[in-house]
Amino acid sequence: MKLEACSLGQSKYKHLKMQIKHLKAAGLAVAFALMSGLLCCKDKDTDPPGPPPGPVEIGKVKLWLTKGDKSKLLSRENDIPAMDSDTAQFPLITIDTVTTFQAIEGFGAALTGSSAYLLHQKMDEGKRLETLTDLFDTVTGIGISYLRLTMGASDFSLSDFTYDDMPAGQTDFDLANFSLSQDLEDVIPVLQEIIQINPNIKLMGTPWSPPAWMKTNGNMKGGKLKPECYDVLARYFAKYIKEMESRGIIITSVTPQNEPLYFTAGYPCMEMQATEQADFIKNHLGPAFQAQGINTKIIVYDHNWDEPDYAISIMNDPGAKQYVAGSAFHAYAGEVTAMSTVHYAHPDRDLYFTEISGGDWATDFSGNLMWFMNNILIGTVQNWSTSALFWNLVLDEFDGPQNNGCSNCRGVITLRTSNGAVIENEEYYAIAHFSKFVRPSARRLAFTKSQEIINLGISAFLNPDGSKAMVAANYNDETVSFSVNQGNKYFSYSIPAKSVVTIIW
């Protein structure tokens, strides 16, 4: 070691050297000098140590932001750094990539007859391709990954029809008259174009009514399925699936009946109580699919959150449950937590959210965006749903075409037929914050958050490609700042009031 006088005066330095001389025999000279804090010590070949290293940037985090005041709409924000330690000291959200929950199947809406008509008949080919690319392309668009189809007419079709309509008093138990001719006009051509853009799109088929001749009242509106028609309706489902497949359209799942507890509508509908649906699935639909090698999933209920016992009671029947993949819900009554009630009753079956519509009764963009996040997207996913689907994909400026149903429903997008303009509604942006970034087969992740973080909705996911996605919705009237920790990564963000952000890393 080399001993130097630092800022000591010469007299103190000489005195210290004398003390060190007397201590040398005990081998304590350097220790005494260091402990006294009066000497600077350095090896003649080593520089003094510098300050401890600060936080190191180890990556970038990508963000997309939609603000409730519409000043930013799915806006690609500047990247923010991911650090190896927490520098901001904001309240912390910790993402756990080890603890995973349900696999996501997809996000989207319904390609109703009205939506398909507008896309196919009211847009030229170039505009339709541009619109469908924006809706379904996974790179340049918002990557919608799941569509619901109406098997026959609904309240958003150009007319009432099924795939096997017969004159009054006649029947067709052999299904010789079965035809997809009505769907061939608009629905099937548009679907084929969508599949060209996104070949992995998932499709759910749902009837609003079977053919009138199968029903107790001989009418597409109301009534029940005749007991003697349970078997032919099962074969009707199978034929629909096979006919669609022959046109390159794979039906991923079906529900036996749309809103089976609402059967007094002015559009096609039918009553089907839980015991009747269980019988239909257990003794007819399930065996028909099995006999014909059909792998399409059977999903029960497909109605509001307020009657979770409907789905639970069907799955309580082992004979029916063996054919059931899960249960589906709408949001026109009840609370989203009903989905968790069903999950915990039958955790080995999946959950699906399949319908909600915005409309002219609620026109505040910010309020709608927050409600959709809290209930339909973050809300359903955090309550075990594998999907979140809105109602009409496209409607016109008159909220139609309508078929004796909702007169003021809003589509995900609006087509102004007067000038061809396409308007992305709040439903579009709500879906996009999930569909573009949370891809099919992504796993929902566990997380914890500091108690100081209030009124901030959060969902986090691990995508199949290894990327992580977090969607946060700030329901507060002021900005909320937080830090995120996942593994050895930390980043911080301040989300504006009444806004949604999707963060990818």
Side-chain angles (χ1 to χ4, degrees):
M1 282 291 196
K2 180 180 179 182
L3 304 180
E4 296 180 339
C6 298
S7 58
L8 297 172
Q10 287 300 314
S11 61
K12 288 185 179 180
Y13 180 61
K14 290 177 181 179
H15 176 70
L16 183 58
K17 286 186 73 174
M18 288 295 291
Q19 289 181 306
I20 292 171
K21 184 176 180 180
H22 292 305
L23 291 166
K24 278 184 177 180
L28 300 174
V30 173
F32 174 81
L34 288 173
M35 292 173 67
S36 69
L38 297 176
L39 285 180
C40 297
C41 300
K42 68 174 184 178
D43 190 277
K44 57 185 174 183
D45 298 321
T46 306
D47 290 333
V56 176
E57 182 177 323
I58 56 175
K60 294 289 188 184
V61 175
K62 300 176 181 178
L63 304 100
W64 284 258
L65 176 67
T66 296
K67 298 178 70 174
D69 63 8
K70 301 176 72 171
S71 59
K72 293 197 172 186
L73 297 170
L74 202 63
S75 169
R76 177 72 162 87
E77 301 294 279
N78 293 331
D79 292 353
I80 57 177
M83 311 300 287
D84 67 352
S85 60
D86 188 10
T87 59
Q89 301 300 315
F90 290 139
L92 189 64
I93 299 166
T94 301
I95 307 295
D96 175 5
T97 57
V98 175
T99 305
T100 63
F101 303 110
Q102 78 271 26
I104 297 300
E105 293 202 22
F107 302 95
L111 183 70
T112 58
S114 296
S115 295
Y117 163 78
L118 291 170
L119 287 162
H120 196 233
Q121 303 287 345
K122 297 298 181 179
M123 287 185 180
D124 61 37
E125 184 177 355
K127 186 64 175 179
R128 182 170 63 254
L129 177 60
E130 176 187 334
T131 301
L132 294 179
T133 299
D134 179 58
L135 290 169
F136 296 98
D137 190 273
T138 58
V139 178
T140 63
I142 66 169
I144 283 176
S145 47
Y146 212 129
L147 283 176
R148 187 168 176 238
L149 308 173
T150 68
M151 291 174 57
S154 72
D155 47 324
F156 283 91
S157 300
L158 301 187
S159 63
D160 288 347
F161 72 94
T162 72
Y163 302 126
D164 199 335
D165 294 321
M166 299 295 292
Q170 296 186 29
T171 60
D172 183 23
F173 280 85
D174 293 332
L175 299 178
N177 193 49
F178 186 99
S179 173
L180 295 178
S181 59
Q182 295 268 40
D183 280 358
L184 282 166
E185 293 178 11
D186 298 310
V187 172
I188 288 173
V190 171
L191 272 176
Q192 290 170 332
E193 292 183 4
I194 290 169
I195 290 167
Q196 288 294 312
I197 296 167
N198 183 355
N200 298 315
I201 190 82
K202 290 183 171 62
L203 303 171
M204 174 183 286
T206 299
W208 268 238
S209 174
W213 56 268
M214 296 186 189
K215 299 173 69 176
T216 55
N217 65 348
N219 195 308
M220 287 184 62
K221 302 176 179 70
K224 289 192 175 193
L225 185 63
K226 292 178 179 179
E228 64 269 27
C229 291
Y230 276 46
D231 181 68
V232 68
L233 181 60
R235 290 187 285 110
Y236 177 93
F237 271 83
K239 198 167 184 68
Y240 168 76
I241 291 165
K242 295 281 192 180
E243 291 278 334
M244 292 293 267
E245 185 178 4
S246 73
R247 292 166 172 81
I249 299 166
I250 304 301
I251 303 301
T252 309
S253 59
V254 293
T255 63
Q257 174 61 41
N258 174 69
E259 298 188 343
L261 299 179
Y262 180 47
F263 41 84
T264 58
Y267 51 83
C269 58
M270 184 177 75
E271 178 182 1
M272 183 179 268
Q273 296 294 328
T275 54
E276 295 163 334
Q277 191 163 119
D279 179 10
F280 177 58
I281 293 168
K282 176 170 64 174
N283 298 313
H284 304 278
L285 188 62
F289 281 12
Q290 191 173 67
Q292 297 193 42
I294 292 172
N295 296 318
T296 301
K297 295 178 180 180
I298 299 172
I299 299 170
V300 303
Y301 189 42
D302 209 6
H303 207 168
N304 290 328
W305 289 326
D306 61 342
E307 295 285 350
D309 286 345
Y310 188 111
I312 291 171
S313 68
I314 293 174
M315 292 186 286
N316 283 345
D317 180 338
K321 184 176 180 177
Q322 65 179 317
Y323 299 113
V324 172
S327 50
F329 293 86
H330 299 180
Y332 303 113
E335 301 293 333
V336 66
T337 52
M339 299 184 76
S340 283
T341 300
V342 178
H343 168 77
Y344 290 118
H346 291 278
D348 56 345
R349 295 296 186 266
D350 288 328
L351 293 167
Y352 299 80
F353 182 81
T354 50
E355 188 183 317
I356 187 63
S357 183
D360 293 343
W361 61 86
T363 57
D364 176 65
F365 183 94
S366 176
N368 288 331
L369 182 66
M370 293 297 98
W371 193 89
F372 290 146
M373 284 294 149
N374 192 31
N375 293 279
I376 306 307
L377 290 151
I378 293 175
T380 62
V381 164
Q382 291 303 118
N383 282 278
W384 298 94
S385 187
T386 65
S387 69
L389 310 180
F390 283 73
W391 188 206
N392 291 276
L393 183 66
V394 189
L395 291 178
D396 63 22
E397 66 268 46
F398 308 109
D399 303 322
Q402 302 151 11
N403 184 30
N404 297 312
C406 177
S407 62
N408 57 354
C409 283
R410 183 172 53 234
V412 172
I413 63 174
T414 298
L415 172 64
R416 293 196 179 278
T417 54
S418 58
N419 59 13
V422 171
I423 299 164
E424 293 87 8
N425 297 316
E426 40 267 69
E427 291 81 359
Y428 170 95
Y429 294 104
I431 293 168
H433 273 280
F434 279 77
S435 61
K436 185 173 178 65
F437 310 105
V438 182
R439 301 305 304 157
S441 298
R443 285 277 179 178
R444 178 168 69 91
L445 297 175
F447 65 87
T448 58
K449 63 178 180 178
S450 300
Q451 290 183 347
E452 304 97 299
I453 300 175
I454 58 173
N455 292 325
L456 186 74
I458 301 168
S459 283
F461 306 88
L462 178 63
N463 277 310
D465 65 0
S467 66
K468 274 71 71 175
M470 187 181 98
V471 184
N474 181 8
Y475 307 127
N476 295 280
D477 292 324
E478 62 277 333
T479 296
V480 171
S481 298
F482 56 85
S483 294
V484 175
N485 165 232
Q486 182 267 307
N488 67 336
K489 297 182 179 68
Y490 293 82
F491 56 87
S492 299
Y493 184 67
S494 296
I495 181 173
K498 305 295 185 186
S499 297
V500 180
V501 66
T502 300
I503 304 174
I504 302 292
W505 67 97

